[in-house]
Amino acid sequence: MARAMFAKLREPYVVGVASRIFGQVIAFVSVAVASRYLDLEVFGTYALAWAAAVIGNTFVFTGLYQALLRSRDFERERDTLLWLLLTVGCAFAIVLVAFGLLSGGFATAQGYALLAFAPIPLLSAPAAWWEAQLVRAKRVRAASLYVLVAETAALAVAILMLTSGWQIEALIAARYAAVLAGVVLTGALVRRLPRLAFRRDTVRTARRTALPLWGTSAVHLFTNYGTDIILGAFAPAAMVGAYRGGARIAITASNLVLQPLTMLSWSRFTGIEKSGNSLAAMRAAWADNMALGAAILWPMNAAVAMLAPALVVTILDETWLAAAGVVAILSVSRAIGFGGALLEPVMMTAANGRLQFLIRLWGAGILFILLLPFARFGAEAAAFAHLASSVFVATLSLVAIARTLEMPVAHMVKAFAPGLALTGVVVAVILTSGTLIDGGGIATGLALKIGAIVLAWSGLMIVFLTRRILVLPKP
């Protein structure tokens, strides 16, 4: 029994989720500590600059990254792909420098933050190259755990500098610590250095994978960070800080599930593609992964949405209470948006990359159209625009996946049934426990409610896993 339990705990998805949980806990602690030392205006300045850096990082970890995973002649193509990754990172570094100078350079807080983050995309390129090789070799546990170590280093730097009196510099230094630790750790795990080789045929092959995914990434990035940018155009930095602080909590909850699930799904779907398996294998992979993802994500999002005010006051600070409404709205948005979580691996491996890009593009267009009139009304109005876009994208994604995989609607509904049941249990626990455990203060009541939620959810989850209603995803 003990050996079987240990084997379960070593499953790639369990390790991935556990590392993301601890990683997101670290991110929570970082924001919580920052809220004690920084006001919303300083945090908003940091959030805008970091959003720009994340855009560059995402393009480094997308497109060419998947080209490495899909490569059929890896030994010949891997070196060329690194030089392409470095080129992408360098291009975004130059863009950040340009925006930093246009924002006033070192003479303004926003310009200073942008210039400080400029090298990050270039420094991240080697880590992306090595991480893709870990995933390709099905070393998903290592690819998940190194991120945890890197984020721990970032937290240590942030706490040390914040407690020493530094302000935005502490958060900037923390991101550098994470990036540099990631480079060192992935390099040590792979132990493979690039050669000075560049093949034009590799560029042509990689382009077929990278361009559709870059287009999708641009749309994803606008969905996740375009709100910050548009808010920054209409509202003061403090409003951006409130939105990003709330989004941090909502996104953290969903990323616990989505990041390891997406990583494993790409590995599994590309394996199905290479082996030439039928649509039946892809249908089974989609159903297994989405069923488990919904069973974890939806109850978590429901709890975060319903407990948003207490979470903000306890985790952050009473002065950040303006972020509570954003937390609740975005938690619902992320839960609905989960319907399109595996759109990219399904469509790319089914040779339908153009459709997945169009769906993401339409979703971003809806968000942009809604943000222009509503962003001026504040962070919550912007969050509602995000919610409307998620409904649109999830609906189109599920229809497209059903048609591509020739999947009956009943098959999809069956996949989501365990998640709906678990969400209902969590909602019932929150609604029935309010009058019983709210008398001991906000923090105590929140802790007791979370404990009750975890017990109820865990009990039903064990039943589902034991009876194989749910199965752990494999790479």
Side-chain angles (χ1 to χ4, degrees):
M1 177 67 73
R3 183 176 298 177
M5 180 62 69
F6 182 71
K8 284 288 184 185
L9 292 175
R10 292 183 68 253
E11 289 277 356
Y13 187 73
V14 174
V15 174
V17 170
S19 65
R20 296 299 175 178
I21 288 174
F22 286 112
Q24 296 299 334
V25 167
I26 290 170
F28 262 131
V29 173
S30 298
V31 175
V33 172
S35 71
R36 268 59 176 179
Y37 293 90
L38 307 177
D39 59 28
L40 282 172
E41 183 174 356
V42 174
F43 186 77
T45 301
Y46 160 81
L48 278 174
W50 180 237
V54 167
I55 291 171
N57 267 11
T58 302
F59 274 87
V60 169
F61 278 86
T62 306
L64 296 172
Y65 181 102
Q66 280 76 22
L68 272 164
L69 297 181
R70 300 183 71 193
S71 174
R72 295 181 181 274
D73 195 354
F74 178 68
E75 292 300 324
R76 291 176 68 249
E77 295 181 342
R78 63 184 178 89
D79 301 306
T80 300
L81 288 167
L82 172 63
W83 306 125
L84 292 174
L85 281 169
L86 289 169
T87 301
V88 172
C90 184
F92 277 98
I94 293 171
V95 170
L96 284 173
V97 168
F99 277 108
L101 295 175
L102 289 172
S103 299
F106 290 108
T108 65
Q110 197 63 70
Y112 166 78
L114 285 164
L115 291 172
F117 278 130
I120 292 287
L122 177 59
L123 294 175
S124 299
W129 187 66
W130 280 315
E131 183 189 299
Q133 294 179 63
L134 289 172
V135 175
R136 181 184 175 89
K138 299 189 183 300
R139 297 173 65 187
V140 177
R141 284 185 287 263
S144 297
L145 290 173
Y146 95 85
V147 177
L148 175 60
V149 177
E151 289 300 325
T152 302
L155 175 61
V157 170
I159 292 175
L160 179 63
M161 294 187 66
L162 284 169
T163 54
S164 299
W166 295 90
Q167 292 278 297
I168 194 172
E169 298 85 0
L171 300 181
I172 293 171
R175 299 325 310 160
Y176 271 96
V179 169
L180 295 176
V183 171
V184 172
L185 290 169
T186 52
L189 287 166
V190 175
R191 297 182 183 179
R192 176 178 287 167
L193 295 175
R195 297 167 295 181
L196 291 173
F198 193 86
R199 304 183 63 88
R200 291 185 178 180
D201 58 334
T202 299
V203 177
R204 290 191 294 271
T205 302
R207 184 175 58 193
R208 289 194 291 269
T209 296
L211 290 180
L213 289 173
W214 278 339
T216 303
S217 292
V219 174
H220 265 305
L221 288 165
F222 178 77
T223 302
N224 290 330
Y225 293 99
T227 307
D228 302 61
I229 297 169
I230 293 176
L231 267 179
F234 291 109
M239 187 66 71
V240 179
Y243 180 85
R244 183 45 47 190
R248 176 72 268 174
I249 295 176
I251 291 173
T252 292
S254 58
N255 280 353
L256 294 175
V257 182
L258 291 178
Q259 290 178 349
L261 184 68
T262 302
M263 183 184 295
L264 282 166
S265 295
W266 267 109
S267 178
R268 185 170 178 181
F269 275 93
T270 53
I272 293 172
E273 179 189 30
K274 291 171 187 173
S275 63
N277 282 350
S278 64
L279 286 178
M282 296 181 71
R283 283 195 296 270
W286 183 90
D288 289 347
N289 290 6
M290 290 294 287
L292 186 68
I296 302 172
L297 180 69
W298 286 352
M300 187 184 303
N301 280 140
V304 171
M306 297 178 72
L307 300 175
L311 284 169
V312 170
V313 171
T314 303
I315 295 173
L316 303 179
D317 187 82
E318 289 185 1
T319 59
W320 287 46
L321 193 56
V326 174
V327 173
I329 298 165
L330 289 183
S331 293
V332 176
S333 176
R334 299 285 287 190
I336 293 172
F338 176 70
L342 301 186
L343 179 66
E344 283 73 28
V346 169
M347 292 300 170
M348 290 300 297
T349 53
N352 206 356
R354 183 173 179 271
L355 180 57
Q356 57 89 18
F357 171 65
L358 288 175
I359 291 173
R360 298 296 184 189
L361 183 62
W362 292 335
I366 292 292
L367 178 60
F368 180 73
I369 291 170
L370 292 174
L371 281 175
L372 286 180
F374 290 112
R376 65 184 73 251
F377 296 108
E380 289 190 16
F384 274 116
H386 197 286
L387 173 59
S389 174
S390 292
V391 172
F392 181 80
V393 170
T395 302
L396 290 184
S397 297
L398 290 172
V399 170
I401 290 170
R403 290 179 177 176
T404 299
L405 299 184
E406 300 176 7
M407 185 183 301
V409 174
H411 195 66
M412 280 190 161
V413 173
K414 182 180 178 181
F416 290 130
L420 290 171
L422 285 158
T423 304
V425 168
V426 168
V427 171
V429 169
I430 294 173
L431 292 176
T432 57
S433 64
T435 57
L436 298 176
I437 59 180
D438 278 342
I442 294 176
T444 302
L446 178 64
L448 291 172
K449 285 183 180 179
I450 291 175
I453 289 167
V454 170
L455 284 174
W457 176 86
S458 299
L460 189 54
M461 191 71 172
I462 289 171
V463 172
F464 285 162
L465 288 171
T466 303
R467 297 186 176 182
R468 297 194 63 78
I469 297 172
L470 296 172
V471 295
L472 296 175
K474 296 181 181 296

